[in-house]
Amino acid sequence: MAPGSRSSQRVPRAALTASSSSAAPIGREPWPVVPAGVVPVDRAEQHGPASRVGRGHCFQELFQGILERLDAGEIVIGDGGFVIALEKRGYVKAGPWTPEAAVEHPEAVRQLHREFLRAGSDVLQTFTFYASKDKLENRGNYVAEKISGQTVNEAACDIAKEVAKEGDALVGGGVSQTPSYLSGKDEAEVKAIFRQQLDVFAKKNVDFLIAEYFEHVEEAAWAVETLKESGKPVAATLCIGPEGDLHGVPPGECAVQLVKAGASIIGVNCHFDPETCLRTVKLMKEGLEAAKLKAHLMSQPLAFHTPDCGKQGFIDLPEFPFALEPRILTRWDVQKYAREAYNLGIRYIGGCCGFEPYHIRAIAEELATERGFLPPASEKHGSWGNNLSMHTKPWVRARARKEYWENLLPASGRPYCPSMSKPDNWGVTKGAAELMQQKEATTEQQLKELFKKQMFKSNIVA
Amino acid sequence: MAPGSRSSQRVPRAALTASSSSAAPIGREPWPVVPAGVVPVDRAEQHGPASRVGRGHCFQELFQGILERLDAGEIVIGDGGFVIALEKRGYVKAGPWTPEAAVEHPEAVRQLHREFLRAGSDVLQTFTFYASKDKLENRGNYVAEKISGQTVNEAACDIAKEVAKEGDALVGGGVSQTPSYLSGKDEAEVKAIFRQQLDVFAKKNVDFLIAEYFEHVEEAAWAVETLKESGKPVAATLCIGPEGDLHGVPPGECAVQLVKAGASIIGVNCHFDPETCLRTVKLMKEGLEAAKLKAHLMSQPLAFHTPDCGKQGFIDLPEFPFALEPRILTRWDVQKYAREAYNLGIRYIGGCCGFEPYHIRAIAEELATERGFLPPASEKHGSWGNNLSMHTKPWVRARARKEYWENLLPASGRPYCPSMSKPDNWGVTKGAAELMQQKEATTEQQLKELFKKQMFKSNIVA
Amino acid sequence: MAPGSRSSQRVPRAALTASSSSAAPIGREPWPVVPAGVVPVDRAEQHGPASRVGRGHCFQELFQGILERLDAGEIVIGDGGFVIALEKRGYVKAGPWTPEAAVEHPEAVRQLHREFLRAGSDVLQTFTFYASKDKLENRGNYVAEKISGQTVNEAACDIAKEVAKEGDALVGGGVSQTPSYLSGKDEAEVKAIFRQQLDVFAKKNVDFLIAEYFEHVEEAAWAVETLKESGKPVAATLCIGPEGDLHGVPPGECAVQLVKAGASIIGVNCHFDPETCLRTVKLMKEGLEAAKLKAHLMSQPLAFHTPDCGKQGFIDLPEFPFALEPRILTRWDVQKYAREAYNLGIRYIGGCCGFEPYHIRAIAEELATERGFLPPASEKHGSWGNNLSMHTKPWVRARARKEYWENLLPASGRPYCPSMSKPDNWGVTKGAAELMQQKEATTEQQLKELFKKQMFKSNIVA
Amino acid sequence: MAPGSRSSQRVPRAALTASSSSAAPIGREPWPVVPAGVVPVDRAEQHGPASRVGRGHCFQELFQGILERLDAGEIVIGDGGFVIALEKRGYVKAGPWTPEAAVEHPEAVRQLHREFLRAGSDVLQTFTFYASKDKLENRGNYVAEKISGQTVNEAACDIAKEVAKEGDALVGGGVSQTPSYLSGKDEAEVKAIFRQQLDVFAKKNVDFLIAEYFEHVEEAAWAVETLKESGKPVAATLCIGPEGDLHGVPPGECAVQLVKAGASIIGVNCHFDPETCLRTVKLMKEGLEAAKLKAHLMSQPLAFHTPDCGKQGFIDLPEFPFALEPRILTRWDVQKYAREAYNLGIRYIGGCCGFEPYHIRAIAEELATERGFLPPASEKHGSWGNNLSMHTKPWVRARARKEYWENLLPASGRPYCPSMSKPDNWGVTKGAAELMQQKEATTEQQLKELFKKQMFKSNIVA
C-alpha cells in the first residue's frame, strides 16, 4: 500500500493509559469508553480521524490488517447478522434473503453497520450475502431483473467502507454458497459465480475476503481457491455442526481442506448456537493439530438457542424463520459465549443470524479486560447491568450486579409451548432432486406437494 | 388551516383501486403495497409528496387529524417501543431510559422512525419519553448537565416531523409520568413539569398530544388537563392491568377520570402483554359505558408475553430488562393481538416496549382487509410467510402458509429454564420511602441494602 | 354406646411422653413413631389393641367420634384416592371407575386401606365411590349384572372396618354423585338411590357419613338430607373450584346450602390441585361467616398440579386420566399443602385422586408438631429426607435436609412437552343432551361423533 | 425334576383358541384375558392350578425354565421396581433401600408381587435387592442387628414362590452390588458376600439367578461367576448408559465380560430411561456380535424420563429420589418402549425403579399380538383407553382411542419448573475416599462437609 493511502489514516493501536479509570462509577470497569467525548457518528467525518468512533488510541500508527492483528494475538470482533436484522427492520425478504437493500435502502444498511461499529465490531462485512447472480434470480426472486449483481455488490462495498472509516474497522468482502452448486453445476461454473463478486471486491479494494455459510466443504474450498486469486487474506466458515458437512465430512477434515485450499482463518458460522459452534470449532482445531496445520480460528454462531437441532441446523427447526423469538440469546448468554470462545483459543469472535448490535457489544464487554477498552456503545451500557442503579424502582436497582444476571434462568412466558422441538429432518442434501433450484417461482402445484410432505408436526396445534 | 400549509400537502385518503390486485402472487392479499414503485425513503424529499411512503392515495385531499380519522372509523396504527429498541441498537441507557439520543445520535432515532413508518405506523410519537426535566437528572443520570430538557424535546420533535413528511403520518407529542409525582410533589409542581414539554410541542406544532405510561390515574389526569391547555386532541394511556392503577383505582374508573380530564382517546400502554392489555381496555370500555361517556380506545401493549405478571407489570419480572428475550412476541402473536383489539372496538392499535418495526407491520398486515392496503415494508414480507416459497430448502418452502404459522407453538430451546417466573412484588408504591427519587447517584450503601432486600429468587441459580 | 362395644376397645388418646424422643437421630423430630415396637400389621389382631398400629396412646380411653375430635381442635387426616391408585395396581377400570374390586379382589382393597392407615389416616372411607345402582350399570359397565350394589357396599364396609380396627381410625361411609341426577331424575328418585347405600352403612354401623364428589350443590344437598336420616354426623364435599358449582352457584353459597341441609363438615374434594382447593375452601369459609353459620372445614384435593384447569377441573385436561404423571405432587408439595390448609383453619385434611400413601404420610409429618406424633409409616421415612444420610453416594447424602427439598424445582425430563394445557372445555353441564346417561355401551356411531367433536388439540401431535 | 414336583403343576404353554375373541368390544384386541372367569387371587390356591392367574393355557404341559422360553423365541416380561414402589407404600426406607420389609410386612410385599403377576410379569424377582450382609448394616442402617441377612433372603424367597404359584411365573433370585466392593474389598471377600445369598437361593430352589444393578462390570462378573456355581441359569444387568461402566468400560466390552463369566442373559437395568437403556443394550448387542458371542438380551429401565442424565444416571439428578414425579412414564411411554425393545431383539423386557404394575401391564398389552394373550389385569384396562367409552362425560369418551393417547404431549402443570436439570456430577467412583462405606451412621460433621460440597444448584430456589 502506498504511503498516505487510506489505511495510514487509521488511528493507532496503542496501549491504553491507566489514568482513564480513576473515576469509574460503581460496577464500571476501569477501561475507557473510546472516545471519551461522545461524538455523534454522523458528524464524525467533519472532525477527521481524531474524533472517530474508535478504540481510544492516542497517536498515529500504521494500519494493521486482519492477519497482523490476529498474528499479534489481538482479539478481532466480528459483526452480527444482517439478513435477519434487516428483515425485522423491513428491508430484507425472508425466503430469498438477498441483499438488494444495499441499493434500495442504503440508509438502513449504513445505520446497521454503524451500530455494529459502535458495538465493537472490528470487521464490517460487506452486505453481499447471497449476492451471487444465480441467487438473485432464484425461485421467483426476480431481483436481477431490476438490479444487477454487480450493482448490489458495489453498493454494499461502498457502504461498508464509508462506515468503516468512521472507526478503525476492516472491511471483509463476503461470498456464500450458491444455488449453482446445489443444482449440480461443476467446479468451473461455480468458481465463475464467485469470481463475479470477487471482481467487485478487488475493484473496491476491501481489506480481506470471507467465504462463509457453506454446507459443503467442497464448495467452500472452491470459494477459497477463487478468493485467493486476489492475493488478499481469506477467512472461511462452514455452517456445520459436530456431525460435519452435509456430505458427512467431519469438522476436523473440513478444517484441513479449507487450510489446504488457502484459508488463513477458518471456523464456523450460522446454523447452530454458540455452544454447538464451539464444539465444532474445537473439532476443527483438533483436526488441524493432527494434520500439523496452522490457522486462526473464527466463530460466528447464531444468537438462537438450538440444543434440539440436527445436522442441518436451525433451518430444520419448525420455528425457522418466523418464530425463533423464544430462542434469542440474552446479552449474558453472549458474554458466556465470548469467554468460552476465547478460552478455546478463538480470536476472531463474532455472530451471525440473530446477533443484534447489543449482542456484539456483549462480546466487547466480556473481553474488555483482554482488549483494554470498551466499545463506543458502552457509553450507554453499564457492564453487568450497573446502570440499573439509576432506575426509579428499588427492586430494579437491586438487579444492578453481575451475580443477578449471570445466574438468572429466564422464563419464556409461554407455558403452552415446549422447550425443545423436533427438527424437520427431511434428510435431503446436494444431489437430491428436491434441491435442484429454478429461476421461476415455485408453482402452486409444487407447493401443494411440499405441504403434503411436511413431516414436522410435534408442536403444531392440530 | 391556511392554504399551502404543511398539512395540505399530505397525500389524500382516497379509496383504493381494485385493479392493483390483479396479479397477486400465491398467498398475497389483493391489496397494493403503496407506493407501488419502491422509492428509497432517504430520497423521498427530493421527489415531493407524490412519492412519499404513504397509503397509495391517488389524488389530493385535505389532511385529516387523529380525531377525524378515528371518528370516520379508520384504524390508526401506532408505532413501537423506542427505548428498548434503541437500547439494543446502542443509543439508550437502560435504567434511566432517557431520550437524549435525539440530540446525540439523531440519525439513529430518525432511522427507527422511518422503519416504523414503512411498517405502517400512522402516528410517529416524538421520542420524548421521560424527557421531563426532573427525570433527566434523576439518580445519577446527569443528562441535564450537558443537554437541556428543551433541547432534547425540540430535537425529538424535529426528527419526528421530518420523517412524518416522508409519509402520511401524524406526529404525537408525548409526556409520561414524573419522578416529581412519585416523590410527593403537589399538583402545581407536577403540572409545571408537563408544561415545560408542552411548550415545545406547541412551538413545534405537533398534530396531537399523548399522555402515556402513567401508573397512577391521578397524575395522568393532571397531565391530560395540562396538555388540554394547548387546544389539541389528547390521548391518554395508563400502564396498568386489570387490577387497576397502583393506588387501586379500577380500570373502568380510571377511564372515566381520564375522559373527564379531557382525553379524547384512552387506553393502556406498556407493562403487560397484549392479552392482559386487552382485558384491561375492555374493563375501561365497560366503565365508560356505565358512565355514559364516550372516547376512542387505544392499546399499545408490550411485545413480551407476561402471563405471570402481578399488578406492577413486567418491571417486577426477574427478567426485566435484560433477559426478556424468550418472551418476545412473534409476528403471528401480534397478528392475533391486532385482530382481537379490532374485534374489541379498539381503533388506535400500536405497541410499546419490545415492538420492533416487524411487529407493527404485522398489525398492518392483519388489518389490511379492513384498511384496504398494505404498508410499504410489506414489499419485503409475504403475508403469512408466503415468500418462503422462494427458499432454497423444500421443507422451508412447505412453511409458506397461514395454517403452519398460525398453529405453531414455538420452543424456547432453553430446557433448563422455566415457563413462568415469580414477580418481585415488593408492593411499594407512591408514598413509600423507597420510591422517593433523588438527583444524586444511588450510593453503594443504598445498593447494598437493596441487594439484601431482593426477594425474588425463584429462577436464580443459587 | 354400650360398654364393651367395639369402640371402647380403641386405644386412648393420651398425651405423649417426652422421653420417647431422647435418642432422635439427626434431623428426626422429637415425636415418637407409634407404636415404637414395629408390629407387622397382618399379625396385629393376634396381639390385641395394645399392639395396634395407632397413635402411641398408653391407656384405655373412650372412643371419640369425628365431631368430638374436630370439636376438640384435633387435626383429622383423611385418606387418599382409591380409584386412581387401584387402577394403577390393576383392580379398577378407568372410565366407569366403579368399586366392584371390594368383592372381586378384597386383598387389594384391604392392603391399600392398611397403607393409608400406616401413613396416618384417621379416617378410612369405605370403597363405595360410584357404588350406586345406576352407576354400576351405566354405559356398558355391566357390573350390576354380576354383583349387586348391596354386595359391593357391604364388602367395602367390611374391609374398611376390619382395617380400621388395626389402628385407631374411623370409618366413613361415602356416597357420590349419580348418573340419575345428571339424566334429570327428580329429587325423590335421586334420594332413593342414596338411600340404598345408606341402608348398608346403617346396617354395618359406620362411624359417620360422607357425601363427596358432587358437581352440583343441589344434588349434594339432597345427599346430605338423605344421609342425615341416619342420625350420624355428615361431611359433604363438592368437586368445585373458585368459580363455583356447574350451575354457577358460588362456593360461599354452596357452603351455606350444605350446612343448612345438615352437614357438620363441609369442603371440597377432587377436581383441582391443593392450591385451587384451598382458595375454594376459603371462599366457603367466608360464605359461612357472612351467613353466621358454623361448620368444620375439610379439603381432599387432587395430587396433581392443575393451574391450567377451567371450571370442570382435571376431567377437562387433555391428560385425564392416562397421562397425568408429570403433574403428580411430590411429598414436599403435599407438606406445603398441609401447612397452608392448617393455617386456613381446615382441620379435616386429606386427599383425593392421585394421593398415594406417601402423600398422606407427608400430611402427617408436616403436622407432627401440632399432632404430637408421627404415623407408623414414618418408621421408614426420615422427615425431610434425613434417611438419605444412609445413602451410599456422598452427593445423595448431601440432600438429607429440609432446605434442599423445600427449594427444589423439579424438572419433567420432557423437553418436548409444554408446562400447561388448554382444557377441553365443552361447557356442557346437567341439562345438556350429551350428558344424558344410558345403561347400554356407547355405540361406535356415538363414539365417532364424539371423536369428530373433540375440540382440544393444543398439545396433541397432529 | 421329580414327577409331581411343583413345576409339573404349572399350566401348559399352549396355543390360544381363537374363539375367545368373538365378542370383543370396541377397540378391544382379539386376545383373551386369561383366565376368562375372574378369580380373586387370594382364593386361587383353593382352586388348584386350573384357576390360576396365568396365560390362558388349556391343558397340562411340562414347566419351562427361563432359557427354554427365551430359546423358543418367547417374550419374557419382567417385573417392576420394588424399593421405589414399597417406599411410597410405606415399607422401605429411602437411603439404605434395604428389603427387610419381607420380614416385617410380608403382606405388603406379597401384594406387590401379585399385582405384577396380574399385570403380566413372567418372572417374579425375590425381594432381595441390597440384602447382602454388608448393606444391611451400612451407614447407620442397623437392620442386621434385628434381622439377619439369611432371614430376609429366606422370607423374600418364600413370598415370591408363594405368589408365583398363583400363576405361571418363574422366580429369579437376585443379588446386587455391594458396599464391600466400593470400599475396596478383594474378589474373595466380595464373592463370599454373594455366596451367602446364593446359599439361600439354592436352598429355596429358585428357578434362576439374576445379578443386577452393578455399576462396575468387574464386580458384576464376580457375581456371575459366584452364581454360576449353583448350576442354574444366570442373568446379569448393569446399571450403565452408553458411556459404559463407572470405570469407563464400554457397553460392548461389558457384555463380552459378562457372557464370558457365564451369563446366559445380559443387559441393563435401572439408572436410565427406556430410550437410553435401549441405546446401551444395542451397544452391548453389537459388542457380542463383534466377539461372536451369543446371549439373550434383557432390559429393565427406569420409569422416569432422564434425557439430562450423565454417566451416573438418575442418582445424579437433583430430583433423586424424592422429586422424580414429573418424570414418571405414562403407560403410553411404556408401550413405545416395549415395541422398541422388541424391535431391537430384546426378549426379556421388564422395568426397574418407578415401574408400577400398570407399567408392566402396558408391556404386556403392547406385545399382546406377539404373545397371543393379555394379562389378567387387562380385565380392568381397555387397550389404548377404550374403556373410556364408559365415562360419564362426552369429551372423555372422545379420548377412547389410540391416536389420542399416542400423540399426546402431556403437560406438567408446573410452569415454574424447568424441563431438564443439571446432574450433580461429582465424578467420584470406586477408589475415591468419599465412596468408602462405614457401618456407623454418617456423623453430623460428615454431613456438614457434604452440604458444603454440594455442587448442584441449577434448579434450587436460592
Side-chain angles (χ1 to χ4, degrees), chain A residues 90 118 215 318-319 325-326 328 358 389 393 399 401 404 407 409 411 413-414 419 424 442 454 459 461, chain B residues 90 118 215 318-319 325-326 328 358 387 389 393 399 401 404 407 409 411 413-414 419 424 442 454 459 461:
Chain A
R118 265 179 67 77
E215 292 173 312
E319 293 87 1
E325 280 81 354
I328 298 174
Y358 76 106
S389 64
K393 310 284 185 185
R399 298 174 190 162
R401 48 182 175 149
Y404 183 88
N407 295 313
L409 291 165
R414 289 170 160 93
S419 291
D424 241 329
T442 310
Q454 193 160 58
N459 46 355
V461 179
Chain B
R118 266 180 64 77
E215 293 173 309
E319 293 88 1
E325 281 79 354
I328 298 174
Y358 76 107
N387 280 352
S389 63
K393 309 286 185 185
R399 296 173 191 164
R401 47 179 175 152
Y404 183 88
N407 295 313
L409 291 165
R414 288 170 160 93
S419 292
D424 240 329
T442 310
Q454 193 159 58
N459 47 353
V461 180

Side-chain angles (χ1 to χ4, degrees), chain A residues 44-344:
Chain A
E45 276 179 62
Q46 302 155 25
H47 293 258
S51 66
R52 279 180 189 159
V53 179
R55 312 208 217 155
H57 311 312
C58 311
F59 53 89
Q60 290 282 110
E61 198 187 56
L62 283 181
F63 167 70
Q64 289 187 304
I66 185 75
L67 293 183
E68 289 85 346
R69 295 185 186 197
L70 291 169
D71 288 345
E74 271 191 52
I75 296 162
V76 170
I77 297 183
D79 56 8
F82 270 61
V83 291
I84 293 272
L86 289 174
E87 196 279 335
K88 291 184 177 172
R89 295 184 185 194
Y91 300 100
V92 162
K93 205 179 280 181
W97 303 111
T98 44
E100 60 274 18
V103 176
E104 295 167 345
H105 301 282
E107 79 290 351
V109 177
R110 188 183 304 120
Q111 177 62 22
L112 185 57
H113 273 307
R114 262 181 198 145
E115 293 171 12
F116 282 125
L117 183 71
R118 265 179 67 77
S121 293
D122 295 312
V123 172
L124 303 189
Q125 286 189 227
T126 56
F127 183 40
T128 52
F129 179 75
Y130 271 171
S132 63
K133 189 174 180 306
D134 55 346
K135 190 71 178 74
L136 291 172
E137 55 184 15
N138 192 50
R139 288 212 169 269
N141 182 32
Y142 304 114
V143 171
E145 293 181 4
K146 295 172 293 182
I147 312 170
S148 75
Q150 187 179 334
T151 309
V152 172
N153 282 281
E154 286 185 355
C157 288
D158 289 343
I159 300 170
K161 286 176 70 88
E162 176 190 341
V163 179
K165 279 191 293 182
E166 294 173 6
D168 180 27
L170 300 169
V171 171
V175 302
S176 39
Q177 67 182 9
T178 63
S180 295
Y181 179 78
L182 219 50
S183 300
K185 297 288 166 65
D186 67 20
E187 181 175 343
E189 289 170 300
V190 172
K191 283 184 165 177
I193 296 278
F194 296 134
R195 208 166 284 121
Q196 286 175 327
Q197 287 186 266
L198 180 60
D199 287 346
V200 176
F201 299 144
K203 174 177 156 192
K204 295 291 182 181
N205 194 26
V206 300
D207 296 315
F208 70 104
L209 299 161
I210 303 174
E212 71 169 3
Y213 196 74
F214 286 87
E215 292 173 312
H216 304 87
V217 69
E218 179 183 54
E219 187 185 12
W222 294 350
V224 171
E225 287 163 6
T226 309
L227 298 179
K228 278 306 288 180
E229 296 169 5
S230 69
K232 290 183 186 286
V234 174
T237 52
L238 305 179
C239 47
I240 66 169
E243 294 180 67
D245 92 343
L246 291 193
H247 283 147
V249 185
E253 170 61 17
C254 288
V256 168
Q257 291 188 23
L258 293 175
V259 173
K260 287 188 173 167
S264 306
I265 308 162
I266 59 115
V268 296
N269 82 319
C270 207
H271 273 207
F272 296 93
D273 61 15
E275 193 187 335
T276 312
C277 282
L278 294 184
R279 274 189 287 131
T280 311
V281 175
K282 189 163 181 284
L283 293 170
M284 287 182 151
K285 185 185 179 187
E286 291 165 1
L288 291 184
E289 285 166 0
K292 299 192 190 307
L293 291 172
K294 287 215 167 196
H296 295 291
L297 300 174
M298 171 173 181
S299 68
Q300 308 225 88
L302 297 178
F304 304 111
H305 288 287
T306 65
D308 36 2
C309 270
K311 192 175 185 177
Q312 177 75 57
F314 84 142
I315 308 287
D316 267 17
L317 289 178
E319 293 87 1
F320 176 84
F322 291 136
L324 290 163
E325 280 81 354
R327 298 174 177 268
I328 298 174
L329 299 190
T330 66
R331 58 198 75 196
W332 321 117
D333 292 330
V334 172
Q335 290 204 213
K336 187 161 174 272
Y337 150 63
R339 180 57 53 198
E340 288 171 1
Y342 181 82
N343 288 344
L344 190 60

